[in-house]
Amino acid sequence: MTENIGVLGKKSQRRSGAERVVNAPLPTVYGKFQAIGYLDHDRGDEQVALVHGEIGTDDVLVRLHSECLTGDAFGSQHCECGDQLASAMRAVVAEGSGVVVYLRGHEGRGIGLLGKLRAMALQAEGLDTVEANLALGLPVDARDYGVAAQILHDLGVRSVRLMSNNPRKREALVRHGIQVTEQVPLLIEPCESNITYLRTKRERMDHHLPHLDAVGHGS
């Protein structure tokens, strides 16, 4: 009986939420950041917030960037993720302060790297990004932004100017207690390889991409 109580006691002490683990200087080609590392005890993911300057508490310029190996590391033109990350880091430095929360576990809008590559293979055969996920029996968007809100709370941020074209990110932050005072567009010039993908995000996922109006459908 005593042993069982001990086991239960250990279970009851299990941590949850995002725990700040380390803070290290990170000089980048865009400017100097502090890389603040977190452990998400709920999902087991390691997360990082890149903080530039003295951010304060209100109207902080923030980007929630979903991990994208192909775009962020390999320079894929299938999406605009790599360019968005670079633009966000430049914007934060130009502002003088701000935060880029890099969200691991968000690969392929939450379906993982292999799931994303399978979806990309189907897109090469003519399906759009939504149809491809559904054809694989996967959700269109499985991302959760709760840990991002926890990280912002830990950094003392109460309200943000959110760099995003995705209304769901704004809704998620508000739901988790972070005010969004402005949604700042993060528009990347499309190319032949990603124009169909971007149009699908606008037409089927409600992303605000007004710059696509200037691109002819024959592109």
Side-chain angles (χ1 to χ4, degrees), residues 64 141 143-146 148-149 160 162 164-183 205-208:
L64 306 183
D141 193 338
R143 290 174 292 182
D144 181 273
Y145 297 99
V160 303
L162 181 65
S164 178
N165 310 316
N166 183 357
R168 291 183 179 87
K169 286 186 180 180
R170 177 177 193 148
E171 293 163 4
L173 282 185
V174 171
R175 190 165 59 247
H176 288 287
I178 301 290
Q179 296 180 30
V180 179
T181 55
E182 181 185 0
Q183 190 156 338
M205 303 175 70
D206 300 323
H207 286 224
H208 187 59

Side-chain angles (χ1 to χ4, degrees), residues 6 42 45 60 76 83 85 96 103 105 113 119 129 137 145 155 162 169 198 213:
D42 296 321
D45 293 319
V60 180
S76 169
D83 288 334
L85 178 58
L103 292 163
L113 178 59
T129 183
Y145 297 99
L155 294 172
L162 181 65
K169 286 186 180 180
L198 293 174
D213 294 335

Side-chain angles (χ1 to χ4, degrees), residues 108-126:
R109 298 195 301 274
I111 64 173
L113 178 59
L114 296 183
K116 181 173 78 170
L117 293 176
R118 291 188 181 104
M120 287 168 61
L122 290 179
Q123 289 170 65
E125 296 175 4

Side-chain angles (χ1 to χ4, degrees), residues 30 32-33 51-56 60-61 88-99 161:
Y30 311 107
K32 294 180 179 179
F33 290 82
V51 178
H52 178 77
E54 298 295 326
I55 59 174
V60 180
L61 187 63
M89 293 180 72
R90 287 192 193 100
V92 162
V93 172
E95 178 83 5
S97 65
V99 183
R161 292 159 51 224

Side-chain angles (χ1 to χ4, degrees), residues 30-43:
Y30 311 107
K32 294 180 179 179
F33 290 82
Q34 289 296 121
I36 304 178
Y38 291 84
L39 178 59
D40 180 354
H41 287 286
D42 296 321
R43 293 174 176 265

Side-chain angles (χ1 to χ4, degrees), residues 3 23-24 32 57 70 117 134 139 143 150 169-170 181 185 219:
E3 182 179 346
N23 185 349
K32 294 180 179 179
T57 60
T70 51
L117 293 176
L134 295 176
R143 290 174 292 182
Q150 291 172 23
K169 286 186 180 180
R170 177 177 193 148
T181 55
S219 298

